[in-house]
Amino acid sequence: MKDAKSMNVNLMSRIVVCGFVCLAITLGLAGVSYAELPKVIGDWEDSNDGWMVDPEALGVTTAKVVKENATSGNYSYKVFANPEWQKAVSREFSGDANLLTTLGKAAQLKVDITLKAKEWSMGSGWAKAIECIIIRDDKSDWQQIEPTTDQGEISWDGKADKTVTVTFDIPPQTPPNLTKGIIILITNYQDVNTAGNFYFDNVRLLGAAELNQPKEAAKPVEQNKHKEPNKPVKAK
């Protein structure tokens, strides 16, 4: 009986120790910050989501949240920028550990842009929905990233309204655990008679697992094809 009682005490002790270890691991993991991807960093639903006219923007660049031309929810970010290559609007990530972790792990940025024909008079000029983005962080103070979306989809002649989703591939950030970060949206148009606005919406960061993968083309189904019946195997 004494041996059985001793075994029960030892078993209970092990269970208690195991419980404390599991609790410690759980609490430890709860304190770890993981990148939440995909992550929307600009949908402007009743707030500017931390976005602002870039401090280095030139001229009369303006930006405000408006309830029109949205691609996600009801609001978008209406931006007017000077002609030519311009730092229009930006978002500062510094001081937000979760957003910095997300940026450090991101593999893509996507943004929706809408242009309204009634606001522009192109003349002999041209415009782009967006030129490029700039990322400033621990890796480099100037990472200029060009879009992977075809330029034919980004360019605009002003004849009809245009909404386009533009994709940027973000190079691996070194180190991935960033302490500072800024994303800048760059606009560009030239020689237009009257310039209109850029409506940005649904800016999101995606991880490698969320990248669009090519889908296998569906194979055509053969209809009413006559199948030859199985022939009996000849005896050897």
Side-chain angles (χ1 to χ4, degrees):
M1 292 294 292
K2 185 175 180 180
D3 290 341
K5 186 179 293 186
S6 176
M7 289 175 62
N8 288 337
V9 170
N10 290 336
L11 179 60
M12 291 300 297
S13 298
R14 291 178 183 179
I15 292 174
V16 170
V17 170
C18 181
F20 276 115
V21 170
C22 292
L23 178 62
I25 292 173
T26 301
L27 292 175
L29 290 176
V32 177
S33 177
Y34 291 98
E36 297 179 0
L37 293 166
K39 175 71 172 179
V40 175
I41 59 172
D43 63 2
W44 294 284
E45 294 302 300
D46 291 320
S47 81
N48 62 9
D49 284 340
W51 290 83
M52 58 183 289
V53 173
D54 189 76
E56 297 179 2
L58 301 178
V60 291
T61 302
T62 61
K64 64 178 180 178
V65 177
V66 295
K67 195 173 183 180
E68 55 184 313
N69 301 318
T71 58
S72 174
N74 298 309
Y75 295 83
S76 68
Y77 205 38
K78 180 180 180 180
V79 176
F80 180 85
N82 267 26
E84 301 183 348
W85 196 100
Q86 296 293 336
K87 299 173 188 174
V89 293
S90 59
R91 177 164 182 177
E92 171 76 58
F93 284 41
S94 302
D96 190 321
N98 289 331
L99 280 178
L100 286 170
T101 300
T102 301
L103 176 60
K105 300 294 185 182
Q108 276 191 346
L109 180 144
K110 290 178 179 283
V111 54
D112 301 341
I113 308 104
T114 298
L115 301 166
K116 304 296 288 183
K118 66 181 181 181
E119 297 181 355
W120 295 73
S121 175
M122 302 301 286
S124 59
W126 55 269
K128 291 183 178 182
I130 191 170
E131 176 67 30
C132 62
I133 63 172
I134 303 294
I135 295 181
R136 292 176 166 175
D137 60 21
D138 302 58
K139 178 180 180 179
S140 171
D141 194 47
W142 189 273
Q143 299 175 69
Q144 181 170 324
I145 303 173
E146 306 298 327
T148 57
T149 305
D150 186 86
Q151 287 293 327
E153 296 183 40
I154 299 172
S155 299
W156 186 53
D157 59 13
K159 294 179 180 178
D161 295 351
K162 184 181 189 72
T163 297
V164 60
T165 299
V166 181
T167 301
F168 300 88
D169 287 345
I170 299 176
Q173 301 302 294
T174 308
N177 299 322
L178 304 175
T179 63
K180 60 181 180 180
I182 300 173
I183 293 178
I184 309 171
L185 306 185
I186 308 298
T187 56
N188 196 353
Y189 64 91
Q190 294 184 28
D191 303 323
V192 302
N193 292 338
T194 303
N197 300 289
F198 299 84
Y199 295 88
F200 295 104
D201 201 8
N202 200 20
V203 184
R204 61 267 196 202
L205 295 170
L206 298 93
E210 289 80 33
L211 302 185
N212 292 329
Q213 299 293 330
K215 295 181 180 179
E216 182 180 359
K219 296 179 180 179
V221 178
E222 294 181 322
Q223 300 289 340
N224 301 324
K225 183 177 179 180
H226 175 71
K227 292 186 178 180
E228 184 178 356
N230 294 332
K231 296 180 180 180
V233 179
K234 294 181 180 179
K236 293 184 179 179

